[in-house]
């Protein structure tokens, strides 16, 4: 693909976890800046205590500060999750706004006009602007066992690390409920109001949606679901073993189409690349498609072979978020939408 996010199989596979490709092969240089420059959230979190703060992240790294950090910089998706718990950040990096200035799908309910955007695409983070925010902590996710910080530019990571400690929540090879719980714990430590009705209602709704999806999968075991992602030249079919959402959906009983083991081996176990001529290799009744702006959305796919797929002809294609915003509020619709698709699906594949 023309602009895959990474150059070696492991990082490339990370992106393709739902097929997530198309997000910049060349990581940002230190001075790159193509995002908003002067949004100015105050970063204050009213429920935060004033005493010492520490948090042990999923790399096993414990960050200790004299007080709860107020100057927080986070990957956009992590910032969106923290926002749902009442924790505000000063700066973000990663896909934040679309070309028309609207919030990117990964920004959730984040007020994009009240944060400083340090780089408006994956792998871009302007170091000078980052330093100007006097960051106290950087928060992101990690998609590998090495604890690589998601969307932090490889070539400037050492400069970035000297400016503030980092916290990483792992979304690698585990079910969705685990990073959801870890983000909850992080938000709570940062002063989030975890007893707020909005928060507790969201958790209850998530549990209800999980039960619904489990019931739908049990009632319709014959419905085969394929997780895909589209680029101009290739169609990507994701395996379920490494992605937090797919692993969880599978554990709830969803019958997923799996790429061949030989094909996945070349991408570290994440996915299989298909030419558009071979997009019908795996029969499916429901297709869930990568919803990120870096990929081609179903309505914009012009390939005739795609349009002939039984699931496409039946209108049984829904969105999937390979990089889910790790709050219960944002993950609940992912469960409900898939449950509804399975409940109503015709057997076509």
């Amino acid at each position: 693909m023309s602009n895959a996010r990474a150059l070696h199989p492991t990082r490339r596979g990370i992106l393709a976890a739902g097929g997530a490709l198309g997000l910049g092969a060349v990581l940002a240089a230190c001075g790159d800046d193509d995002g908003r420059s002067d949004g100015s959230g105050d970063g204050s979190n009213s429920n935060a205590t004033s005493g010492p703060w520490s948090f042990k992240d999923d790399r096993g790294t414990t960050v200790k500060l004299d007080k709860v950090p107020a100057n927080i910089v986070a990957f956009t998706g992590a910032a969106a999750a923290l926002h749902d718990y009442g924790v505000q950040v000063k700066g973000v990096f990663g896909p934040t706004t679309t070309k028309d200035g609207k919030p990117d799908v990964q920004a959730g309910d984040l007020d994009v006009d009240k944060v400083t955007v340090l780089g408006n695409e994956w792998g871009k983070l302007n170091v000078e602007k980052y330093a100007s925010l006097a960051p106290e902590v950087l928060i992101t996710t990690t998609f590998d066992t090495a604890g690589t910080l998601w969307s932090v530019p490889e070539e400037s990571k050492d400069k970035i690390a000297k400016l503030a400690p980092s916290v990483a929540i792992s979304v690698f090879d585990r079910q969705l409920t685990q990073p959801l719980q870890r983000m909850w714990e992080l938000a709570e430590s940062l002063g989030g109001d975890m007893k707020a009705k909005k928060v507790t209602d969201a958790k209850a709704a998530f549990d209800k949606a999980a039960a619904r999806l489990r019931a739908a999968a049990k009632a319709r075991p014959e419905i085969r679901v394929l997780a895909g992602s589209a680029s101009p030249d290739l169609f990507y079919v994701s395996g379920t073993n490494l992605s937090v959402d797919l692993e969880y959906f599978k554990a709830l009983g969803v019958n997923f189409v799996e790429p061949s083991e030989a094909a996945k081996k070349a991408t570290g176990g994440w996915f299989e690349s298909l030419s558009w001529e071979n997009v019908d290799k795996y029969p499916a009744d429901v297709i869930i498609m990568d919803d990120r702006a870096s990929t081609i959305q179903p309505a914009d796919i012009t390939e005739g072979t795609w349009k002939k797929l039984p699931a496409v002809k039946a209108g049984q294609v829904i969105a999937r978020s390979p990089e889910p915003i790790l709050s219960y509020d944002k993950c609940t619709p992912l469960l409900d939408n898939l449950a509804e698709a399975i409940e109503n699906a015709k057997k076509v594949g």
Side-chain angles (χ1 to χ4, degrees), residues 275-319:
S275 67
W276 283 105
E277 290 77 13
N278 296 315
V279 73
D280 60 351
K281 179 177 179 179
Y282 298 106
D285 303 294
V286 173
I287 301 175
I288 56 176
M289 288 292 289
D290 190 335
D291 67 356
R292 288 169 295 179
S294 58
T295 65
I296 301 175
Q297 296 306 298
D300 299 319
I301 299 175
T302 59
E303 300 289 342
T305 49
W306 164 262
K307 294 180 179 181
K308 291 179 182 178
L309 292 177
V312 175
K313 292 171 68 175
Q316 294 175 178
V317 179
I318 65 171

Side-chain angles (χ1 to χ4, degrees), residues 9 11-21 227 234-239 242 259-274:
R11 290 289 296 278
R12 184 183 178 192
I14 287 168
L15 289 173
L21 301 187
L234 295 170
F235 182 80
Y236 305 92
V237 178
S238 292
L242 301 176
S260 69
E261 291 302 319
K264 288 193 296 181
K265 186 176 182 180
T267 63
W270 288 94
F271 66 100
E272 178 177 355
S273 305
L274 298 176

Side-chain angles (χ1 to χ4, degrees), residues 53-70:
W53 178 82
S54 68
F55 187 82
K56 185 176 182 178
D57 76 358
D58 290 339
R59 299 169 300 176
T61 300
T62 300
V63 177
K64 297 181 179 181
L65 299 173
D66 292 337
K67 60 182 180 63
V68 176

Side-chain angles (χ1 to χ4, degrees), residues 5-337:
R5 282 186 187 171
L7 299 177
H8 56 85
T10 301
R11 290 289 296 278
R12 184 183 178 192
I14 287 168
L15 289 173
L21 301 187
L23 302 181
V26 181
L27 295 176
C30 177
D32 278 356
D33 174 27
D34 59 356
R36 279 163 144 66
S37 61
D38 55 5
S40 56
D42 62 11
S44 62
N45 298 299
S46 59
N47 294 308
T49 59
S50 58
W53 178 82
S54 68
F55 187 82
K56 185 176 182 178
D57 76 358
D58 290 339
R59 299 169 300 176
T61 300
T62 300
V63 177
K64 297 181 179 181
L65 299 173
D66 292 337
K67 60 182 180 63
V68 176
N71 292 356
I72 300 170
V73 171
F75 176 71
T76 301
L82 292 173
H83 173 83
D84 285 351
Y85 295 129
V87 177
Q88 307 308 318
V89 306
K90 290 191 71 173
V92 297
F93 57 100
T96 306
T97 60
T98 58
K99 292 179 180 179
D100 58 5
K102 295 180 180 179
D104 185 89
V105 64
Q106 294 191 66
D109 294 331
L110 194 67
D111 189 336
V112 296
D113 293 319
K114 291 187 177 180
V115 292
T116 298
V117 181
L118 305 173
N120 195 26
E121 62 182 274
W122 189 88
K124 296 260 179 130
L125 197 165
N126 183 294
V127 179
E128 288 75 19
K129 191 174 293 182
Y130 176 58
S132 74
L133 295 179
E136 295 173 280
V137 67
L138 180 148
I139 296 171
T140 187
T141 52
T142 182
F143 279 77
D144 59 26
T145 56
T148 305
L149 298 178
W150 190 238
S151 198
V152 171
E154 182 72 20
E155 57 266 45
S156 54
K157 65 179 183 180
D158 293 339
K159 293 181 180 179
I160 290 167
K162 291 177 181 179
L163 294 170
S166 60
V167 166
I169 300 298
S170 179
V171 286
F172 176 71
D173 195 18
R174 61 201 60 202
Q175 294 181 24
L176 180 60
T177 47
Q178 186 173 346
L180 274 172
Q181 177 60 31
R182 293 293 286 145
M183 187 62 77
W184 173 290
E185 293 167 0
L186 176 59
E188 185 173 37
S189 78
L190 292 169
D193 185 357
M194 314 313 284
K195 295 181 180 180
K197 187 175 186 302
K198 177 182 177 182
V199 172
T200 57
D201 284 354
K203 177 62 168 65
F206 177 89
D207 292 338
K208 182 178 180 181
R212 178 186 179 184
L213 181 54
R214 186 188 296 276
K218 184 177 181 180
R220 305 292 308 279
E222 76 279 10
I223 299 301
R224 290 174 293 185
V225 179
L226 182 148
S229 183
S231 76
D233 301 319
L234 295 170
F235 182 80
Y236 305 92
V237 178
S238 292
T240 60
N241 292 340
L242 301 176
S243 303
V244 290
D245 61 331
L246 301 184
E247 284 204 12
Y248 184 52
F249 300 159
K250 184 178 181 180
L252 292 175
V254 176
N255 179 13
F256 277 102
V257 173
E258 295 283 357
S260 69
E261 291 302 319
K264 288 193 296 181
K265 186 176 182 180
T267 63
W270 288 94
F271 66 100
E272 178 177 355
S273 305
L274 298 176
S275 67
W276 283 105
E277 290 77 13
N278 296 315
V279 73
D280 60 351
K281 179 177 179 179
Y282 298 106
D285 303 294
V286 173
I287 301 175
I288 56 176
M289 288 292 289
D290 190 335
D291 67 356
R292 288 169 295 179
S294 58
T295 65
I296 301 175
Q297 296 306 298
D300 299 319
I301 299 175
T302 59
E303 300 289 342
T305 49
W306 164 262
K307 294 180 179 181
K308 291 179 182 178
L309 292 177
V312 175
K313 292 171 68 175
Q316 294 175 178
V317 179
I318 65 171
R320 175 202 169 205
S321 298
E323 291 182 60
I325 294 172
L326 297 173
S327 74
Y328 290 105
D329 181 69
K330 295 301 179 292
C331 287
T332 295
L334 307 181
L335 298 168
D336 275 329
N337 292 343

